[in-house]
């Protein structure tokens, strides 16, 4: 009880294992919490009818139940969007926010064709042969052997049809949240972390723009892909340590 709390939010189709290296690094010095988002990992079965606002509200209720006052949220990819949705609904709730290979939750900077495609990704994933999707999905998210192995293991926990539904639903609710312009600005100290070899969509472009427009510090992780905290955990942990040390004490 008491002390600073770090709340880790994995990205779309990933589960709590994505942050294994961070939990090992920070446990014993901080309160740490990581979830399997609804529909992911052990949080199944779960009806895929929720919105991004729902995810943020449920996360808020978990934090309230666990008596977490003002946590530092660490969101990777989709987890970063969930963190921003929580800020939009519950302003002033966070002590800090770290976005890992994520992007701003806003309409500007995203093109109409990109939003159109995000809403139709389930069909794309259904069309892909499952073995090819496992290979390209893991290689597209990570560049290191351990990072690719981790992502492939998480993907393999689903069957092809469910994976397509889960990923398609996640991209669709993300597009809807972007269109709604849920969040105008980050209301707490923040840090952007991005792999210098991130090939997932336009994540690197989004982070450069986010840094330039909002003035949020940006740390590039060398030799890391979209799951940079799995590819290069030491670099990511050090960037987190530097950020945490800059925050006011509890």
């Amino acid at each position: 009880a008491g002390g600073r709390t770090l709340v880790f939010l994995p990205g779309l189709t990933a589960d709590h294992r994505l942050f294994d290296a961070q939990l090992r690094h920070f446990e014993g010095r901080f309160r740490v919490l990581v979830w399997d988002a609804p529909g992911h990992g052990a949080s199944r079965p779960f009806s895929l009818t929720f919105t991004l606002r729902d995810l943020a509200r449920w996360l808020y209720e978990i934090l309230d139940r666990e008596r977490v006052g003002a946590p530092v949220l660490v969101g990777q990819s989709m987890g970063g969007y969930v963190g921003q949705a929580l800020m939009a609904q519950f302003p002033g709730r966070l002590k800090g926010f770290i976005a890992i290979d994520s992007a701003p939750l806003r309409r500007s900077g995203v093109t109409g064709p990109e939003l159109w495609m995000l809403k139709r990704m389930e069909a794309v994933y259904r069309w892909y042969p499952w073995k090819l999707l496992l290979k390209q999905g893991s290689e597209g998210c990570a560049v290191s052997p351990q990072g690719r192995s981790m992502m492939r293991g998480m993907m393999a926990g689903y069957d092809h049809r469910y994976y397509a539904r889960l990923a398609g639903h996640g991209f669709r609710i993300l597009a809807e949240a972007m269109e709604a312009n849920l969040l105008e600005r980050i209301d707490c100290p923040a840090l952007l972390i991005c792999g210098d070899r991130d090939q997932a969509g336009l994540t690197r472009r989004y982070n450069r723009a986010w840094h330039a427009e909002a003035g949020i510090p940006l740390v590039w992780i060398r030799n890391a892909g979209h799951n940079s905290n799995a590819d290069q955990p030491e670099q990511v942990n050090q960037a987190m340590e530097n950020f945490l040390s800059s925050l006011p004490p509890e």
Side-chain angles (χ1 to χ4, degrees), residues 7 55 112 141 154-155 176:
V7 178
L55 292 180
C141 283
M154 292 187 290
M155 291 177 65
E176 292 167 352

Side-chain angles (χ1 to χ4, degrees), residues 104-168:
L105 186 63
R106 63 186 182 198
R107 175 62 180 84
S108 62
V110 184
T111 67
E114 288 168 350
L115 288 173
W116 183 90
M117 193 65 192
L118 282 174
K119 295 178 181 179
R120 290 158 176 84
M121 288 304 295
E122 179 176 350
V124 174
Y125 287 129
R126 280 181 181 270
W127 175 82
Y128 255 80
W130 182 227
K131 288 185 178 180
L132 181 61
L133 186 56
L134 283 171
K135 180 178 187 297
Q136 293 188 347
S138 56
E139 292 179 357
C141 283
V143 299
S144 67
Q146 73 272 11
R148 289 178 172 178
S149 176
M150 175 185 288
M151 191 63 205
R152 186 181 181 93
M154 292 187 290
M155 291 177 65
Y158 312 108
D159 61 43
H160 189 183
R161 179 178 291 272
Y162 184 81
Y163 180 89
R165 287 183 56 223
L166 180 64

Side-chain angles (χ1 to χ4, degrees), residues 6 8 18-32 74 98 229 232-245:
L6 307 181
F8 296 95
L18 182 68
F19 285 108
D20 278 353
Q22 284 67 51
L23 294 183
R24 288 195 300 269
H25 181 82
F26 288 104
E27 66 181 355
R29 294 186 294 129
F30 298 91
R31 299 177 72 196
V32 291
V74 185
I98 300 175
N229 61 297
Q232 300 293 341
E234 294 82 6
Q235 291 184 51
V236 171
N237 293 346
Q238 187 57 58
M240 290 182 59
E241 289 277 9
N242 295 341
F243 174 75
L244 293 169
S245 67

